[in-house]
Amino acid sequence: MKELDRKRILVTGGAGFLGSHLCERLVEAGHDVLCVDNFFTGTRENVAHLLGCSNFELMRHDVTFPLYVEVDEIYNLACPASPVHYQYDPVRTTKTSVHGAINMLGLAKRVRAKIFQASTSEVYGDARVHPQKEDYWGHVNPIGPRSCYDEGKRCAETLFVDYRRQYGLEIRIARIFNTYGPRMHPADGRVVSNFMVQALSGEPLTVYGDGTQTRSLCYVDDIIDAFIRLMDAPDGSCDPVNLGNPHEITMLELAEHVRHATQSDSEIVFRPLPIDDPWHRQPDISAARALLEWAPSTPLDEGLRHTAEHFRMRLAGVPLADCGRETGVSRERGATGNR
Ligand code: NAD
Ligand code: UDP
Ligand code: UDP
C-alpha cells in the first residue's frame, strides 16, 4: 500500500463478531488499526491472531467515556447486538448507543475524521412495509424490551445526521440486517448460533413461535465488504444504506438448512415467541447496489457450512485463533509484523 493511502482507523467494538472481521480486513489492507472494546460481548481471543501485527493495536475502553486519539476514520460498532445481551443491561445498552455515538462524533469532529455508524434493521421495528426501504420510518415500540436497542440506534442515527448538518462531518450510516458467520458468540442467543450449537451437540433446535417469522441472513464476509465500500464511497454519501442479503426465509426453513449443514438429526422443538419479535425482515438493497455496486454473493448453504466448521472446532476446544477458515493474516505473518 502507498504511504498516502495508508490510514489510521479506529474500530469500536472491534473485538466482537463483526468488528474482529473488519479489523482483520483493514489490517490485511495495510492500514493502522486501533481496536477499542470493553469486552462486554467481544473477547480478546477474537483478535488474538492480529495481536502480533505491527499495524494492529488493542485498547480496553468503554465508549460511554471520552476517548482522545488521532485517527483518519472511525467505524463505530460498539454495542451488544443479540437480544439476550442487549436486554441484559438495557440502560447500559442505550448509554452505549447514545453516549457512545456522542463521544465518537465529538472525536470525529475534533480530528475531522470520517465516521461510520453500525445501525440496524431494528430501526424499522416490526415493519409494516415489506421489503424495507431506507425511506420507511419504521414501526417501533418505544417502551418494550427491545426498545433500548432500537431507540438507542435510532437516536444514534439522529445524532449522526445532526453532526453532519451542524458541523459538516462526513458520515456513513449502515442499516445492517441479520448477519452470521464464524466468531459469533456461541451463547449469544441469536438464531444461527443457537441452532448451530444445538445441532452440533445433538440437542433439539429451539424454534420460537411457529417458525413462520422470517429473516434475511447475510454471510459476514459479504457484509464486511459492504462496510468498506460504504466508507470509501464518494464524499456526501451520507444517507442511511441498507446492507444485508435480500434472500428471505422462515426460521423453520433455517432450522432445516442448519440441520443439513451440520448433518445433524436433532429434532425441532417449539418455544414461545419473544415479545415484539419482528414478523418479517427483508432489505431492499437497491441503494447499496447503485451506490456501492455491491450485492451479497455467498449462498446460505455455503455460509452455513463455513459457520458449522467454525462451531465444530470451537466446541471441540480448539483455540479461537485457530478456528475456521484460512485468513489472509496468519499468526506467523502477524508475529513478524504485517508489512
Ligand atoms: P457483538 O456483540 O459481537 O460485538 C459488539 C462489540 O462491542 C463487542 O466486542 C462488545 O464487547 C463491544 N462493546 C459493547 N459495549 C461497548 C462499550 N460500551 N464500549 C466498548 N465496546 C463495547 O455484536 P456484532 O454482531 O459484532 O455487532 C456489531 C455492531 O453491528 C453492533 O453495533 C450491532 O448493533 C451492529 N449490528 C449487527 C448485526 C448482526 O447481525 N450481527 C445486525 C445489525 C446491526
Ligand atoms: N470527545 C471525545 N474525544 C474527543 C473530543 C470529544 O471523546 O477527541 C467527547 C467529549 O466527551 C464530548 C463529546 O465527545 O463531550 C462531544 O463532543 P462535542 O465537541 O461535540 O461537544 P462538547 O465537547 O461541547 O460536549
Ligand atoms: N429464534 C428462534 N430460535 C432461537 C433464537 C431465535 O426461533 O433459538 C428466532 C427469533 O424469535 C427471531 C429470529 O429467530 O424471530 C431471529 O432472532 P435473532 O435473535 O437471531 O435476531 P433478531 O432478528 O430477532 O434480532
Side-chain angles (χ1 to χ4, degrees), residues 83 122 146 178 189-191 194-195 198 206-208 213 215 251 273-274 277-278 281:
E122 294 280 329
R146 296 176 82 102
N178 299 64
R190 283 188 267 194
V191 68
N194 269 10
F195 285 177
Q198 291 162 346
T206 52
V207 168
Y208 300 162
Q213 74 273 31
R215 293 294 186 270
M251 293 305 94
L273 191 68
D277 201 85
R281 268 222 211 106

Tab-separated table of all heavy atoms in Angstrom, residues 83 122 146 178 189-191 194-195 198 206-208 213 215 251 273-274 277-278 281, ligand 3:
chain	number	residue	atom	x	y	z
A	83	PRO	N	-30.359	-9.972	21.101
A	83	PRO	CA	-31.408	-9.591	22.061
A	83	PRO	C	-31.087	-10.026	23.491
A	83	PRO	O	-31.292	-9.264	24.432
A	83	PRO	CB	-32.653	-10.289	21.506
A	83	PRO	CG	-32.407	-10.371	20.019
A	83	PRO	CD	-30.930	-10.587	19.882
A	122	GLU	N	-33.258	-2.985	12.932
A	122	GLU	CA	-34.187	-2.781	14.052
A	122	GLU	C	-34.772	-1.373	14.070
A	122	GLU	O	-35.772	-1.130	14.747
A	122	GLU	CB	-33.497	-3.050	15.384
A	122	GLU	CG	-33.078	-4.483	15.592
A	122	GLU	CD	-34.214	-5.399	16.036
A	122	GLU	OE1	-35.136	-4.926	16.716
A	122	GLU	OE2	-34.164	-6.582	15.680
A	146	ARG	N	-37.231	-4.555	23.601
A	146	ARG	CA	-36.233	-4.329	22.544
A	146	ARG	C	-35.917	-2.846	22.360
A	146	ARG	O	-35.030	-2.489	21.575
A	146	ARG	CB	-36.745	-4.890	21.204
A	146	ARG	CG	-36.951	-6.391	21.198
A	146	ARG	CD	-37.552	-6.869	19.877
A	146	ARG	NE	-36.575	-7.032	18.831
A	146	ARG	CZ	-36.075	-8.200	18.433
A	146	ARG	NH1	-36.465	-9.324	18.992
A	146	ARG	NH2	-35.192	-8.262	17.465
A	178	ASN	N	-29.690	-8.976	9.615
A	178	ASN	CA	-29.095	-10.125	10.313
A	178	ASN	C	-27.896	-10.709	9.557
A	178	ASN	O	-28.018	-11.097	8.400
A	178	ASN	CB	-30.126	-11.238	10.502
A	178	ASN	CG	-31.299	-10.788	11.344
A	178	ASN	OD1	-32.041	-9.900	10.935
A	178	ASN	ND2	-31.466	-11.377	12.505
A	189	GLY	N	-27.374	-16.272	21.958
A	189	GLY	CA	-28.835	-16.436	21.850
A	189	GLY	C	-29.388	-16.107	20.477
A	189	GLY	O	-30.592	-16.205	20.266
A	190	ARG	N	-28.525	-15.697	19.529
A	190	ARG	CA	-29.061	-15.407	18.199
A	190	ARG	C	-29.386	-16.717	17.489
A	190	ARG	O	-28.860	-17.782	17.831
A	190	ARG	CB	-28.056	-14.572	17.389
A	190	ARG	CG	-28.082	-13.136	17.847
A	190	ARG	CD	-27.262	-12.241	16.977
A	190	ARG	NE	-25.907	-12.090	17.472
A	190	ARG	CZ	-25.060	-11.148	17.051
A	190	ARG	NH1	-25.424	-10.286	16.141
A	190	ARG	NH2	-23.842	-11.056	17.536
A	191	VAL	N	-30.221	-16.602	16.476
A	191	VAL	CA	-30.797	-17.827	15.932
A	191	VAL	C	-29.750	-18.731	15.294
A	191	VAL	O	-29.771	-19.952	15.511
A	191	VAL	CB	-31.971	-17.499	14.973
A	191	VAL	CG1	-31.523	-16.794	13.692
A	191	VAL	CG2	-32.757	-18.744	14.655
A	194	ASN	N	-27.496	-20.285	18.066
A	194	ASN	CA	-28.275	-21.261	18.840
A	194	ASN	C	-28.455	-22.562	18.060
A	194	ASN	O	-28.173	-23.655	18.562
A	194	ASN	CB	-29.670	-20.707	19.152
A	194	ASN	CG	-29.701	-19.951	20.477
A	194	ASN	OD1	-28.669	-19.692	21.067
A	194	ASN	ND2	-30.892	-19.583	20.930
A	195	PHE	N	-28.931	-22.430	16.815
A	195	PHE	CA	-29.198	-23.641	16.015
A	195	PHE	C	-27.911	-24.435	15.786
A	195	PHE	O	-27.909	-25.672	15.838
A	195	PHE	CB	-29.826	-23.280	14.662
A	195	PHE	CG	-31.293	-22.879	14.718
A	195	PHE	CD1	-31.956	-22.469	13.557
A	195	PHE	CD2	-32.020	-22.920	15.900
A	195	PHE	CE1	-33.296	-22.102	13.581
A	195	PHE	CE2	-33.365	-22.538	15.945
A	195	PHE	CZ	-34.002	-22.129	14.775
A	198	GLN	N	-26.844	-26.181	19.023
A	198	GLN	CA	-27.799	-27.256	19.323
A	198	GLN	C	-27.596	-28.432	18.366
A	198	GLN	O	-27.512	-29.588	18.785
A	198	GLN	CB	-29.232	-26.710	19.228
A	198	GLN	CG	-29.563	-25.716	20.343
A	198	GLN	CD	-30.772	-24.827	20.056
A	198	GLN	OE1	-31.244	-24.740	18.922
A	198	GLN	NE2	-31.277	-24.154	21.090
A	206	THR	N	-34.333	-25.084	18.943
A	206	THR	CA	-35.456	-24.354	19.550
A	206	THR	C	-36.001	-23.312	18.586
A	206	THR	O	-35.391	-22.252	18.411
A	206	THR	CB	-34.992	-23.651	20.839
A	206	THR	OG1	-33.828	-22.870	20.520
A	206	THR	CG2	-34.651	-24.640	21.946
A	207	VAL	N	-37.127	-23.602	17.976
A	207	VAL	CA	-37.771	-22.619	17.092
A	207	VAL	C	-38.785	-21.845	17.934
A	207	VAL	O	-39.629	-22.436	18.605
A	207	VAL	CB	-38.476	-23.339	15.918
A	207	VAL	CG1	-39.374	-22.377	15.163
A	207	VAL	CG2	-37.435	-23.946	14.986
A	208	TYR	N	-38.668	-20.499	17.918
A	208	TYR	CA	-39.588	-19.675	18.703
A	208	TYR	C	-40.855	-19.411	17.890
A	208	TYR	O	-40.786	-19.156	16.680
A	208	TYR	CB	-38.928	-18.351	19.100
A	208	TYR	CG	-37.670	-18.499	19.947
A	208	TYR	CD1	-36.768	-17.448	20.069
A	208	TYR	CD2	-37.392	-19.680	20.642
A	208	TYR	CE1	-35.608	-17.563	20.841
A	208	TYR	CE2	-36.240	-19.802	21.411
A	208	TYR	CZ	-35.351	-18.752	21.501
A	208	TYR	OH	-34.213	-18.875	22.266
A	213	GLN	N	-42.099	-16.835	11.136
A	213	GLN	CA	-41.500	-15.485	11.014
A	213	GLN	C	-40.259	-15.596	10.128
A	213	GLN	O	-39.625	-16.655	10.078
A	213	GLN	CB	-41.163	-14.892	12.390
A	213	GLN	CG	-39.971	-15.459	13.125
A	213	GLN	CD	-40.308	-16.669	13.980
A	213	GLN	OE1	-41.208	-17.435	13.661
A	213	GLN	NE2	-39.581	-16.863	15.071
A	215	ARG	N	-36.475	-13.985	8.395
A	215	ARG	CA	-35.302	-13.125	8.449
A	215	ARG	C	-34.567	-13.320	7.122
A	215	ARG	O	-34.793	-14.303	6.414
A	215	ARG	CB	-34.356	-13.509	9.604
A	215	ARG	CG	-34.919	-13.269	11.013
A	215	ARG	CD	-35.130	-11.804	11.306
A	215	ARG	NE	-35.527	-11.578	12.699
A	215	ARG	CZ	-36.795	-11.564	13.128
A	215	ARG	NH1	-37.802	-11.790	12.293
A	215	ARG	NH2	-37.056	-11.323	14.400
A	251	MET	N	-37.898	-19.139	9.897
A	251	MET	CA	-36.985	-19.722	10.890
A	251	MET	C	-37.071	-21.254	10.884
A	251	MET	O	-36.109	-21.941	11.216
A	251	MET	CB	-37.261	-19.143	12.279
A	251	MET	CG	-36.925	-17.657	12.372
A	251	MET	SD	-35.209	-17.254	11.877
A	251	MET	CE	-35.363	-16.811	10.154
A	273	LEU	N	-42.721	-17.333	21.430
A	273	LEU	CA	-42.135	-16.239	20.650
A	273	LEU	C	-41.832	-15.073	21.601
A	273	LEU	O	-42.704	-14.668	22.370
A	273	LEU	CB	-43.147	-15.798	19.584
A	273	LEU	CG	-42.650	-14.855	18.500
A	273	LEU	CD1	-41.650	-15.561	17.585
A	273	LEU	CD2	-43.831	-14.331	17.668
A	274	PRO	N	-40.612	-14.515	21.571
A	274	PRO	CA	-40.322	-13.366	22.453
A	274	PRO	C	-41.232	-12.169	22.132
A	274	PRO	O	-41.704	-12.031	20.999
A	274	PRO	CB	-38.864	-13.026	22.126
A	274	PRO	CG	-38.300	-14.249	21.468
A	274	PRO	CD	-39.447	-14.921	20.778
A	277	ASP	N	-41.138	-9.580	18.818
A	277	ASP	CA	-40.279	-10.206	17.802
A	277	ASP	C	-40.776	-9.780	16.418
A	277	ASP	O	-41.920	-10.044	16.061
A	277	ASP	CB	-40.400	-11.731	17.947
A	277	ASP	CG	-39.234	-12.479	17.340
A	277	ASP	OD1	-38.221	-12.643	18.034
A	277	ASP	OD2	-39.342	-12.894	16.170
A	278	PRO	N	-39.950	-9.091	15.615
A	278	PRO	CA	-40.437	-8.642	14.299
A	278	PRO	C	-40.868	-9.831	13.430
A	278	PRO	O	-40.242	-10.892	13.448
A	278	PRO	CB	-39.228	-7.932	13.700
A	278	PRO	CG	-38.387	-7.532	14.858
A	278	PRO	CD	-38.582	-8.624	15.876
A	281	ARG	N	-38.529	-9.684	7.902
A	281	ARG	CA	-37.402	-8.769	7.637
A	281	ARG	C	-36.752	-9.119	6.324
A	281	ARG	O	-36.301	-10.230	6.125
A	281	ARG	CB	-36.357	-8.877	8.728
A	281	ARG	CG	-36.624	-7.887	9.786
A	281	ARG	CD	-35.386	-7.212	10.266
A	281	ARG	NE	-35.652	-6.923	11.662
A	281	ARG	CZ	-35.099	-7.600	12.632
A	281	ARG	NH1	-34.247	-8.554	12.390
A	281	ARG	NH2	-35.390	-7.287	13.855
B	3	UDP	N1	-35.150	-17.541	17.122
B	3	UDP	C1	-35.554	-18.865	17.160
B	3	UDP	N2	-34.832	-19.731	17.936
B	3	UDP	C2	-33.730	-19.346	18.638
B	3	UDP	C3	-33.314	-17.995	18.576
B	3	UDP	C4	-34.070	-17.113	17.811
B	3	UDP	O1	-36.527	-19.268	16.521
B	3	UDP	O2	-33.122	-20.204	19.305
B	3	UDP	C5	-35.918	-16.606	16.268
B	3	UDP	C6	-36.295	-15.282	16.921
B	3	UDP	O3	-37.528	-15.406	17.611
B	3	UDP	C7	-36.399	-14.362	15.718
B	3	UDP	C8	-35.352	-14.913	14.755
B	3	UDP	O4	-35.087	-16.256	15.184
B	3	UDP	O5	-37.669	-14.479	15.123
B	3	UDP	C9	-34.056	-14.124	14.749
B	3	UDP	O6	-33.627	-13.960	16.076
B	3	UDP	P1	-32.232	-13.308	16.482
B	3	UDP	O7	-32.201	-13.221	17.962
B	3	UDP	O8	-31.125	-14.024	15.797
B	3	UDP	O9	-32.243	-11.844	15.831
B	3	UDP	P2	-33.345	-10.681	15.714
B	3	UDP	O10	-33.537	-10.542	14.252
B	3	UDP	O11	-34.625	-11.084	16.379
B	3	UDP	O12	-32.727	-9.510	16.358
